[in-house]
Amino acid sequence: MSYLNTQNHSNTVLKVLNSALVLFVEKGFFNTSIPDLVKHSGVSTGSIYHAFQDKQAIAETLMSALLQQIEREQLQILNQHGRCKARFYALSKWMIDTAEEHPHVMQFILTARHKEFMPDLKPICSSQPFITLRNVIHQGMLEGSVQEMDLMVAAASSYGGILRLIQLGLDGMLERPLNTYLDEITQVCWKSIAIDQTIGK
Amino acid sequence: MSYLNTQNHSNTVLKVLNSALVLFVEKGFFNTSIPDLVKHSGVSTGSIYHAFQDKQAIAETLMSALLQQIEREQLQILNQHGRCKARFYALSKWMIDTAEEHPHVMQFILTARHKEFMPDLKPICSSQPFITLRNVIHQGMLEGSVQEMDLMVAAASSYGGILRLIQLGLDGMLERPLNTYLDEITQVCWKSIAIDQTIGK
DNA sequence: GTCTATAGTACGATAGAC
DNA sequence: GTCTATCGTACTATAGAC
């Protein structure tokens, strides 16, 4: 199933964005030509340029749409869990599930060299979804469940492990499916910033 | 100072490789044209194509040279420290120092979309330097200083935090210089996989 | 809004003098 | 080995019919 929502975009735009997601991740932005997009999406050159100003605008729209969708899903998770540790586990599970169900999405967000084709864009880690991840850790410090330390250090250590494992999974370096590592990785990542030594469930 | 060793390569090759490192990281592989390389390196088109088969070969040679140099530096560190924890700390310090002194090197290794322009290359995390990092963690399990767990999970959790913080630093998301975070980040990253709760130095 | 056909350009790579 | 000049190509983007 497509990850992108059908609400904000026309059918043509959506077809192009979905093809762009696949092709940009698999071949790279610069190795994907407009003719490639035409073939993969079934939309003609003219229609593509009617819907988007240029090739770069396709990437920008795609990025923006993905980040919006991710924000929406994060908010749902935050609504279901109140405390830092529960939120951290739920967000980690969601990241790992997304990496398995929509590997292209995760790959595009995590490893696409956005700077290379969107030079004006701020680094991905300054986008709202990453701010939300950090805010949860900050909440933990206020709650007393996370050790007082530099927020960037805490965020890097906790989510860094999750994201690194996801990257290893996307690169085909893991023997088992990603989700089978969920419990183990979230436990050790949480342990790195938890305030006490009782790790029990 | 240049990161690359002058032993294996001629002066012309070295000039091109150094320019390629800078330009590939700052503008990206596909946004760097041969004329760009000519301007930046002072070497003419003809000489570049005399030294390298094509543009991709420049990237491949660069990657190979960097990995070799990194391997050499890692071996030095392993020779200076015997136990897992000491090696982990020293390797982490070395990664952070390298990121500060040679940001282009770190950026090229960590974030360059190698797959995009070197489709045949294995993922970077299967290269020898990354294997060495994992081996050190494995050694820790045998020694009894690191908890028994899946090796990939342990490596992701421990080095993932370090690498994530380095990425944040390279992206300009940190307030202070990277090396000022060294003690804090290595401590929490080690804590995530350490076997007992005594974290003291 | 959608399409085909094509203009214009910039690039990778080569030829060939020195 | 190094250089300049240039070829051929493949791309992005546009023009204009429907």
Side-chain angles (χ1 to χ4, degrees):
Chain A
M1 261 311 298
S2 161
Y3 190 80
L4 291 170
N5 210 316
T6 77
Q7 286 190 324
N8 296 327
H9 299 289
S10 74
N11 211 294
T12 301
V13 168
L14 226 63
K15 274 194 271 187
V16 174
L17 289 181
N18 276 317
S19 293
L21 176 62
V22 174
L23 293 174
F24 288 175
V25 167
E26 291 186 355
K27 311 181 25 157
F29 178 79
F30 289 102
N31 284 329
T32 301
S33 65
I34 301 295
D36 286 338
L37 277 170
V38 170
K39 248 176 279 175
H40 192 277
S41 67
V43 177
S44 70
T45 310
S47 293
I48 290 178
Y49 277 97
H50 181 80
F52 301 93
Q53 209 191 4
D54 53 20
K55 191 182 167 187
Q56 186 174 315
I58 301 175
E60 284 165 1
T61 308
L62 176 60
M63 174 65 98
S64 160
L66 290 177
L67 287 177
Q68 267 182 41
Q69 177 66 18
I70 287 171
E71 255 186 87
R72 247 174 275 143
E73 301 195 6
Q74 279 187 333
L75 284 180
Q76 274 193 353
I77 290 169
L78 293 187
N79 282 337
Q80 284 164 10
H81 305 273
R83 303 212 61 193
C84 169
K85 186 174 175 182
R87 285 179 163 181
F88 173 77
Y89 274 70
L91 286 168
S92 299
K93 175 173 164 44
W94 160 78
M95 288 192 280
I96 284 178
D97 288 344
T98 302
E100 286 212 293
E101 287 161 35
H102 306 283
H104 289 117
V105 172
M106 212 59 177
Q107 199 112 338
F108 187 81
I109 293 292
L110 289 186
T111 75
R113 298 265 25 229
H114 314 108
K115 209 182 89 184
E116 196 163 324
F117 52 88
M118 295 184 281
D120 300 338
L121 196 80
K122 287 179 177 178
I124 186 75
C125 44
S126 64
S127 65
Q128 185 58 48
F130 282 82
I131 293 173
T132 299
L133 291 180
R134 285 194 285 274
N135 282 347
V136 168
I137 301 299
H138 187 228
Q139 172 199 351
M141 292 186 196
L142 300 176
E143 280 177 13
S145 56
V146 170
Q147 281 197 17
E148 285 286 342
M149 65 177 96
D150 186 279
L151 180 57
M152 287 310 211
V153 169
S157 173
S158 52
Y159 296 114
I162 313 275
L163 293 172
R164 186 100 204 121
L165 194 75
I166 287 174
Q167 192 57 59
L168 289 170
L170 293 170
D171 284 345
M173 301 286 294
L174 300 182
E175 291 174 353
R176 293 178 278 127
L178 248 180
N179 68 53
T180 63
Y181 296 91
L182 174 64
D183 288 345
E184 215 174 350
I185 189 70
T186 47
Q187 233 172 66
V188 296
C189 284
W190 175 258
K191 183 186 167 193
S192 73
I193 57 166
I195 203 150
D196 55 29
Q197 278 78 350
T198 60
I199 305 149
K201 211 151 205 180
Chain B
M1 259 314 296
S2 162
Y3 189 81
L4 290 170
N5 209 316
T6 77
Q7 286 189 325
N8 296 329
H9 299 290
S10 75
N11 211 293
T12 301
V13 169
L14 226 63
K15 274 195 271 188
V16 175
L17 288 181
N18 276 317
S19 294
L21 176 62
V22 174
L23 293 174
F24 288 175
V25 168
E26 290 184 358
K27 312 181 23 157
F29 177 80
F30 290 102
N31 283 330
T32 301
S33 64
I34 301 294
D36 287 339
L37 277 171
V38 170
K39 247 177 278 175
H40 192 277
S41 67
V43 177
S44 71
T45 310
S47 293
I48 290 179
Y49 276 96
H50 181 79
F52 300 93
Q53 207 191 6
D54 53 21
K55 191 182 168 188
Q56 185 174 315
I58 301 175
E60 283 166 2
T61 307
L62 176 60
M63 174 64 97
S64 159
L66 289 177
L67 287 178
Q68 268 183 40
Q69 176 67 18
I70 287 172
E71 255 187 86
R72 247 174 274 143
E73 302 196 5
Q74 280 186 335
L75 284 180
Q76 274 193 354
I77 290 170
L78 293 188
N79 282 336
Q80 284 163 10
H81 304 272
R83 304 213 60 196
C84 168
K85 186 174 175 180
R87 285 178 162 180
F88 173 78
Y89 274 72
L91 287 169
S92 299
K93 175 173 163 46
W94 159 77
M95 288 192 278
I96 285 179
D97 288 345
T98 302
E100 286 211 292
E101 287 161 35
H102 306 283
H104 288 117
V105 172
M106 212 59 178
Q107 200 110 341
F108 186 80
I109 294 293
L110 289 186
T111 75
R113 297 265 28 228
H114 315 109
K115 208 182 88 184
E116 195 162 327
F117 53 89
M118 295 184 280
D120 300 335
L121 196 78
K122 286 180 179 177
I124 185 76
C125 43
S126 64
S127 64
Q128 185 57 49
F130 282 82
I131 293 173
T132 298
L133 292 180
R134 285 195 285 274
N135 282 348
V136 168
I137 301 299
H138 187 230
Q139 173 198 352
M141 291 186 197
L142 299 177
E143 281 177 12
S145 56
V146 170
Q147 281 196 16
E148 286 286 341
M149 64 177 99
D150 185 279
L151 180 56
M152 287 311 211
V153 168
S157 173
S158 53
Y159 296 116
I162 313 275
L163 293 171
R164 185 100 204 120
L165 194 75
I166 287 174
Q167 193 55 60
L168 289 169
L170 293 170
D171 284 345
M173 299 287 293
L174 299 181
E175 293 174 350
R176 294 178 278 126
L178 248 181
N179 69 53
T180 63
Y181 296 90
L182 174 64
D183 288 343
E184 217 175 349
I185 189 69
T186 47
Q187 233 170 68
V188 296
C189 284
W190 176 258
K191 184 186 165 192
S192 74
I193 57 166
I195 203 148
D196 56 27
Q197 279 77 350
T198 60
I199 305 150
K201 213 159 201 167

